[in-house]
């Protein structure tokens, strides 16, 4: 029987030890990319944050960070790692938090778990809706159909002194659906050896489908950048800043209807008509202020 802590510890052993994934370097690189486009960025949301390994470094570069994770064992591991950091339970395809952020990331090809083009569009819309004007979105896409290779068996082994882990993974695809079947052997002194398997299904979206999803979300300054060690790139885009209203003079200002004037601490989100107040909180267009 596999326990929740086995899933989280196996994930970290495989990627930090066996695969040599450098979460610190990636986080610093991403921070630099964000600040090149938004020098005053001070908050970040990491969507599908896993066990919080990237967030553990982002928190040193941004004044405020939060995470969102669907898998409960991973979310609990992130909470244990990130004292004082909020890690929300939620699905990247449909979530609404109480604020917006200077940057939103969706890393490690998590976007591939969207099951259709419609869900891809919905996910990117949701990510963009949590950006402040001028905020930066950074995505790491899954493989495209032309990049995908079925059949190879990938093996990874790792140990940290008390635990020994082996994972074998075989991949296949049908149409634009890729499936990865993973088998784990985890040995630990005093516990013995445990075996379990899991299956992951990710969609092989085309570059054009990613571009269209970003266009629909009204993001601009889109760039495709090299990734870390494989053929998957990184996509970065920016949410447009609000143009300042030009007021002709006192007569026009005085002649506005009371309902037309907009309080200086409010701005209207350009995706769905919801308002975000100066503290970054969502307000539906018909919601009355109670604070």
């Amino acid at each position: 029987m596999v326990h929740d802590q086995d899933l989280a510890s196996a994930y970290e052993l495989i990627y930090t030890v066996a695969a040599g994934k450098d979460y610190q370097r990636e986080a610093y690189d991403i921070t630099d990319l964000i600040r090149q486009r938004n020098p005053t960025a001070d908050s970040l949301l990491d969507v599908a944050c896993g066990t919080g390994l990237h967030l553990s470094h982002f928190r040193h570069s941004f004044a405020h960070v939060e995470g969102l994770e669907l898998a409960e064992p991973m979310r609990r591991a992130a909470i244990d790692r990130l004292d004082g950091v909020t890690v929300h339970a939620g699905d990247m395809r449909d979530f609404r938090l109480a604020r917006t952020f200077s940057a939103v990331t969706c890393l490690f090809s998590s976007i591939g778990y969207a099951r259709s083009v419609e869900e891809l569009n919905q996910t990117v819309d949701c990510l963009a809706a949590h950006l402040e004007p001028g905020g930066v979105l950074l995505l790491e896409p899954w493989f495209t159909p032309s990049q995908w290779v079925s059949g190879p068996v990938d093996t990874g082994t790792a140990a940290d002194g008390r635990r020994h882990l082996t994972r074998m993974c075989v991949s296949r695809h049908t149409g634009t659906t890729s499936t990865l079947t993973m088998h784990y052997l985890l040995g630990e002194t005093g516990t013995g050896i445990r075996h379990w398997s899991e299956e992951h299904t990710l969609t092989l979206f085309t570059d054009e489908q990613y571009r269209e999803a970003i266009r629909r979300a009204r993001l601009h300054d889109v760039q495709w950048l090299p990734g870390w060690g494989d053929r998957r790139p990184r996509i970065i885009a920016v949410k447009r800043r609000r143009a300042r209203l030009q007021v002709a003079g006192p007569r026009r200002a005085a002649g506005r209807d009371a309902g037309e004037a907009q309080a200086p601490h409010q701005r209207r989100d350009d995706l769905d008509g919801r308002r975000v107040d100066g503290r970054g909180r969502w307000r539906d267009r018909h919601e009355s202020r109670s604070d």
Side-chain angles (χ1 to χ4, degrees), residues 80-99:
D80 291 342
R81 166 173 281 113
L82 302 166
D83 184 42
V85 173
T86 299
V87 182
H88 305 273
D91 190 322
M92 65 180 182
R93 293 166 291 195
D94 185 18
F95 68 95
R96 181 187 290 189
L97 305 184
R99 58 164 294 158

Side-chain angles (χ1 to χ4, degrees), residues 10 25 48 54-55 62 91 94-96 180 203 215 261 263 266:
R25 183 179 68 84
H54 281 117
L55 274 175
F62 296 89
D91 190 322
D94 185 18
F95 68 95
R96 181 187 290 189
L180 293 81
T203 305
R215 185 195 66 79
Q266 292 178 333

Side-chain angles (χ1 to χ4, degrees), residues 124-126 128-130 216-218 239 269-274:
V124 176
D125 276 352
C126 200
H130 286 80
R216 287 169 55 94
R218 301 181 187 177
K239 186 169 186 174
D269 179 70
D270 66 2
L271 284 178
D272 56 9
R274 289 173 290 173

Side-chain angles (χ1 to χ4, degrees), residues 5-291:
Q5 62 266 30
D6 295 336
L7 293 171
S9 63
Y11 176 92
E12 294 190 356
L13 274 175
I14 283 294
Y15 291 110
T16 60
V17 179
K21 187 172 177 64
D22 190 340
Y23 287 86
Q24 183 181 53
R25 183 179 68 84
E26 291 181 9
Y28 289 165
D29 188 15
I30 290 168
T31 298
D32 185 55
L33 291 171
I34 291 168
R35 291 264 163 73
Q36 288 174 22
R37 293 155 179 81
N38 186 357
T40 60
D42 63 356
S43 60
L44 179 142
L45 172 68
D46 189 17
V47 175
C49 66
T51 61
L53 287 166
H54 281 117
L55 274 175
S56 68
H57 302 291
F58 284 138
R59 71 184 308 184
H60 300 301
S61 299
F62 296 89
H64 181 85
V65 298
E66 296 182 19
L68 182 116
E69 175 57 40
L70 179 62
E72 189 58 22
M74 300 292 190
R75 191 177 81 91
R76 285 204 297 270
I79 291 171
D80 291 342
R81 166 173 281 113
L82 302 166
D83 184 42
V85 173
T86 299
V87 182
H88 305 273
D91 190 322
M92 65 180 182
R93 293 166 291 195
D94 185 18
F95 68 95
R96 181 187 290 189
L97 305 184
R99 58 164 294 158
T100 54
F101 299 83
S102 305
V104 174
T105 57
C106 186
L107 306 174
F108 219 176
S109 298
S110 299
I111 194 74
Y113 286 100
R115 295 168 295 189
S116 65
V117 172
E118 180 180 2
E119 285 194 359
L120 173 65
N121 293 337
Q122 181 181 350
T123 301
V124 176
D125 276 352
C126 200
L127 300 176
H130 286 80
L131 284 172
E132 302 168 355
V136 180
L137 173 67
L138 193 141
L139 291 175
E140 288 183 340
W142 183 233
F143 292 106
T144 65
S146 62
Q147 293 172 331
W148 181 254
V149 178
S150 292
V153 176
D154 176 71
T155 302
T157 59
D160 66 357
R162 63 184 182 86
R163 298 171 298 175
H164 297 265
L165 177 71
T166 298
R167 185 188 73 176
M168 300 186 75
C169 175
V170 62
S171 60
R172 64 186 189 276
H173 83 283
T174 302
T176 59
T177 300
S178 63
T179 304
L180 293 81
T181 303
M182 302 178 181
H183 292 265
Y184 295 85
L185 284 173
L186 178 64
E188 188 171 1
T189 302
T191 304
I193 299 174
R194 283 160 284 173
H195 167 263
W196 73 92
S197 63
E198 59 182 12
E199 191 167 271
H200 295 263
T201 300
L202 296 93
T203 305
L204 303 168
F205 296 111
T206 66
D207 288 346
E208 184 53 39
Q209 286 167 338
Y210 284 114
R211 289 191 181 95
E212 177 62 13
I214 292 168
R215 185 195 66 79
R216 287 169 55 94
R218 301 181 187 177
L219 301 176
H220 71 118
D221 290 347
V222 183
Q223 289 182 283
W224 293 64
L225 304 173
W228 290 285
D230 62 21
R231 294 168 294 165
R232 287 172 287 180
R234 290 168 292 173
I235 306 172
I236 193 163
V238 179
K239 186 169 186 174
R240 294 187 185 277
R241 293 185 183 274
R242 275 295 184 187
R244 292 187 178 182
L245 292 176
Q246 299 295 319
V247 179
R251 180 176 299 176
R252 178 172 177 178
R256 283 182 175 175
D257 292 336
E260 182 185 353
Q262 188 173 17
H265 65 276
Q266 292 178 333
R267 60 180 181 270
R268 184 170 296 280
D269 179 70
D270 66 2
L271 284 178
D272 56 9
R274 289 173 290 173
R275 292 182 297 179
V276 183
D277 68 15
R279 285 168 286 179
R281 300 176 304 175
W282 288 119
R283 293 188 183 278
D284 292 331
R285 68 172 68 179
H286 298 301
E287 182 181 350
S288 61
R289 294 185 59 87
S290 58
D291 57 349

